Amino acid sequence: MGKAVQRRFVGLTAVVAAFGMTATLSGCGSDTGGGDVTLRLVAADYGTGAENSSQKYWDDVAGKFEKANPDIKVEVSVYSWKDVDRKVAEMVKAGEAPDIAQIGAYADFAKADKLYAADEMIAIRTGSNFLPSLTDAGEVDNTLYGLPFVASTRLLFYNKGLFAKAGLGAPQTWDDIQSDATVLKQRGVTYPFALPLGPEESQAETLMWLLSGGGGYTDEVGNYNIDSQANIETFKWLKNSLVGKGLTGPVAPGKLDRAKAFDAFTQGDVGMLNGHPTLMQEAEKKGVEVGMVPLPGIEGPTKGSMGVADWMMGFKQNGHRAEIGKFLDFAYTDENVLAFADQYDLLPVTGTASAAMESDSKHKQLREFLSALPNSQLYPFGKTSWAQASESIKEKIGSAVEPGGSPESVLVDIASQARQAESAE
């Protein structure tokens, strides 16, 4: 949990323990609720169709909650990821904010004072159970507003069958990646190393490589540092040692989207790429034996990984602070957290649920992802400028590795736009 928020929850826990009380109170403040209340919940759909739609999950959670809390009703609306953030933004702009939203970003609403802080809503036991690396990313001005919902981390995936036939071992360094990709290319592998820097999700692929090169999107104090020398050197290496040597396949990285790269991996056409748990499941369903290792770095495995999280938040507009808190405490019980994570091959965001998943043999394949999560680095979600910076990365980063392209000029351009967006807040 973020340092300031963590201190608040830990301090409250100590006080409650000292007086021999059970730490089940939801936040502070005078809004205690009363009478029949209807909460409106808007959530993102993680399913691929009607059969596994998230609507089913949330309807089940809401039904169980209502049974335990008959004076609180929950209306659930689930939208696709293409639409959900926009839908919530439109609701807020129209003065019809939902009570609870589970979406991809929270900072704009927090900056506009639309959200309850975590310690105004949730119980001490709930707030102190979140993984620290995730709640750090949920803060604005050292206050937690975005509650992590589910997470994933990234590892380097390699096709064990292709590697075995070529007599190769798992890569540990950038030099290993280059030499292994060279052998795979000689053996006719279509994508020795798939490098999706197309507009779908290139901000993720970029951050993975920046971390492996000792850089990142921000510096130690949280300022944008996209054009750091470490980042420039990372993209020079990608351009010269992978793309320039024809080791990234027939599609230019700037034109290759993640979905197409993942699909090629499941077809057995990719030697290596950076992947997440869902890809592991899909590849093995199609008979591809998957090897996974931490992201290789310059001299060895990268110590930290890239993490991704989505966010839950409570809106102030309808004044349902206490009822929102009750629902969120229920939603974050281990049973509910594990049910969602298990259904969609994602990682739980709480310490107790993570421990339960790690000890369960049926989740053995996820243990490497789980172990990477506590030390993972997320996007700078707390910056309202991040949305604009992310779009700039998606639009331009592929050109950094094109023939004749300049990694330095591209990163300087992206960094300049990010800083301008930040200063305009």
Side-chain angles (χ1 to χ4, degrees), residues 55 181-182 289 335 367 383 422:
Q55 184 79 42
T182 300
E289 191 176 1
E335 178 184 358
R367 286 174 183 167
K383 293 178 174 291
E422 180 77 359

Side-chain angles (χ1 to χ4, degrees), residues 202-354:
S202 54
Q203 81 280 10
E205 186 73 16
T206 297
L207 181 55
M208 285 182 266
W209 281 102
L210 299 187
L211 292 173
S212 72
Y217 284 138
T218 57
D219 60 22
E220 293 180 354
V221 295
N223 296 319
Y224 282 119
N225 199 28
I226 299 170
D227 55 351
S228 70
Q229 192 58 42
N231 293 345
I232 291 169
E233 293 302 320
T234 293
F235 266 81
K236 283 182 177 179
W237 185 86
L238 286 173
K239 180 177 185 293
N240 298 325
S241 300
L242 285 188
V243 182
K245 295 184 182 298
L247 301 178
T248 54
V251 180
K255 303 293 185 182
L256 182 65
D257 281 337
R258 180 194 63 169
K260 292 181 180 178
F262 280 14
D263 184 59
F265 187 83
T266 66
Q267 300 300 320
D269 295 329
V270 174
M272 296 171 279
L273 51 56
N274 293 321
H276 57 55
T278 304
L279 174 61
M280 174 186 67
Q281 305 286 353
E282 292 299 316
E284 293 188 346
K285 285 178 184 176
K286 295 189 177 181
V288 175
E289 191 176 1
V290 181
M292 297 176 293
V293 293
L295 304 179
I298 298 172
E299 298 180 351
T302 305
K303 292 181 179 179
S305 174
M306 190 197 81
V308 176
D310 300 317
W311 307 99
M312 187 83 78
M313 61 211 72
F315 284 86
K316 292 181 176 180
Q317 180 177 314
N318 301 315
H320 295 154
R321 180 195 60 79
E323 293 83 4
I324 291 170
K326 282 185 179 181
F327 180 81
L328 292 177
D329 288 337
F330 181 79
Y332 280 106
T333 58
D334 285 357
E335 178 184 358
N336 290 325
V337 170
L338 286 168
F340 195 92
D342 190 45
Q343 181 172 353
Y344 297 109
D345 297 320
L346 294 165
L347 304 180
V349 296
T350 62
T352 53
S354 294

Side-chain angles (χ1 to χ4, degrees), residues 115-168:
L115 303 180
Y116 290 116
D119 61 358
E120 294 178 303
M121 299 183 296
I122 58 177
I124 297 165
R125 65 172 183 273
T126 304
S128 60
N129 198 21
F130 290 124
L131 296 175
S133 60
L134 301 181
T135 48
D136 282 346
E139 294 180 353
V140 172
D141 297 330
N142 296 317
T143 299
L144 181 65
Y145 292 99
L147 309 184
F149 179 60
V150 285
S152 68
T153 53
R154 302 291 194 263
L155 297 173
L156 183 131
F157 284 31
Y158 63 96
N159 184 313
K160 278 189 172 182
L162 295 178
F163 267 61
K165 289 177 183 177
L168 300 173

